Amino acid sequence: MSSYALEFSSNPHGLEINKSYAAIDKFDWKRRQMVKYQLRNRGIKDKRVLAAISKVPRHEFVDSSLRDLAYSDSPLPIGHNQTISQPYIVAYMTEAGEISPSDKVLEIGTGSGYQAAVLGEIAKEVYSIEIIPQLAIKARRTLSRLGYQNIQVKTGDGYQGWVENAPYDAIIVTAAPESIPKPLIEQLAINGKMVIPVGKSNQEIFVLTKTQNGTLSEKTIPVRFVPMRRKFLQ
């Protein structure tokens, strides 16, 4: 995944265990501080995004040895030369996707599953693709253990998307290709948005909006993501 970027709310899509979980969650204070200083103070305003990130236990998506750093303002390693994104970037990309509760979302680059969980708190359905089999298996187990029933994870080449479930109202890409994959544009619904880092040494997040007449593209902020991989790694 990447490098950078209150109260519990009820949600039928996942984390139904949170009412009891909150009482024993020693990381609750850290999560609230993260939302206040790393997200709100940097301009994240979407209430659904803030509520989702306030709720998802980020420490469950990192190695146990790194849990005390789970709410720090930085990416963290998750193995296989991949990272869990900085919280701000997760929030930024989710907000830029303008995701509604009725939406179907495709995520490219499951990693540990954290971004998928945040999306799962907002969207109706989330389909996530991870090219590294070990990460896909682990993310699937974590998401299942936390109660998410609206997220599907598969091992595959994210460049090709997940055509069986297209079109998607939003596509969030958490690895950087050198150019925007055409299959992903084709799988985006009309009026849908794709949020994707693009570039090699110099990367920027692009926000694409698909229209009846083509796509509108906007460059937003500089970032540093791991490159998008095109073949399976064992």
Side-chain angles (χ1 to χ4, degrees):
M1 294 170 74
S2 81
S3 65
Y4 279 97
L6 277 228
E7 300 165 339
F8 288 94
S9 60
S10 60
N11 187 331
H13 299 324
L15 286 182
E16 294 180 1
I17 60 173
N18 266 2
K19 290 183 180 179
S20 59
Y21 190 89
I24 60 172
D25 185 0
K26 67 179 182 179
F27 295 102
D28 180 54
W29 181 82
K30 288 185 177 182
R31 189 160 53 250
R32 290 171 182 268
Q33 294 295 102
M34 176 190 74
V35 169
K36 179 179 179 180
Y37 292 107
Q38 297 180 39
L39 307 187
R40 288 184 183 275
N41 284 4
R42 291 183 185 173
I44 302 299
K45 298 177 181 178
D46 190 308
K47 293 181 179 178
R48 292 170 300 177
V49 174
L50 293 168
I53 294 182
S54 294
K55 184 177 181 181
V56 177
R58 192 169 188 261
H59 58 279
E60 296 286 351
F61 294 89
V62 300
D63 187 86
S64 58
S65 64
L66 298 174
R67 284 191 165 188
D68 285 343
L69 300 175
Y71 299 99
S72 61
D73 188 19
S74 64
L76 294 171
I78 57 173
H80 306 278
N81 296 313
Q82 303 296 296
T83 62
I84 182 174
S85 296
Q86 180 182 358
Y88 172 74
I89 287 298
V90 173
Y92 180 90
M93 295 181 75
T94 306
E95 185 174 67
E98 297 183 7
I99 297 162
S100 299
S102 61
D103 282 354
K104 183 195 301 182
V105 178
L106 175 65
E107 181 199 21
I108 306 300
T110 314
S112 67
Y114 177 69
Q115 172 76 81
V118 172
L119 295 171
E121 288 294 328
I122 301 171
K124 182 179 180 180
E125 302 172 60
V126 178
Y127 296 88
S128 186
I129 304 175
E130 172 56 55
I131 200 167
I132 301 173
Q134 297 92 326
L135 290 180
I137 291 169
K138 188 174 182 180
R140 193 180 298 116
R141 289 173 177 170
T142 301
L143 291 164
S144 177
R145 175 169 54 81
L146 292 175
Y148 287 98
Q149 299 179 4
N150 64 328
I151 302 173
Q152 293 188 39
V153 177
K154 79 168 185 176
T155 304
D157 182 355
Y159 191 95
Q160 301 300 328
W162 196 334
V163 67
E164 295 86 349
N165 299 297
Y168 300 97
D169 301 294
I171 299 177
I172 307 295
V173 183
T174 62
E178 293 186 31
S179 60
I180 299 170
K182 186 177 178 181
L184 298 184
I185 297 175
E186 292 172 347
Q187 292 172 37
L188 190 62
I190 299 298
N191 299 320
K193 289 187 179 293
M194 184 191 309
V195 185
I196 179 170
V198 180
K200 194 171 181 180
S201 56
N202 297 311
Q203 300 174 1
E204 293 179 286
I205 287 182
F206 282 67
V207 179
L208 278 74
T209 303
K210 189 171 183 178
T211 73
Q212 294 283 1
N213 300 316
T215 58
L216 303 175
S217 178
E218 177 189 4
K219 291 182 183 180
T220 60
I221 61 173
V223 289
R224 189 184 181 102
F225 279 73
V226 298
M228 179 180 282
R229 295 176 173 177
R230 294 298 316 279
K231 63 180 181 179
F232 291 97
L233 300 178
Q234 299 296 334

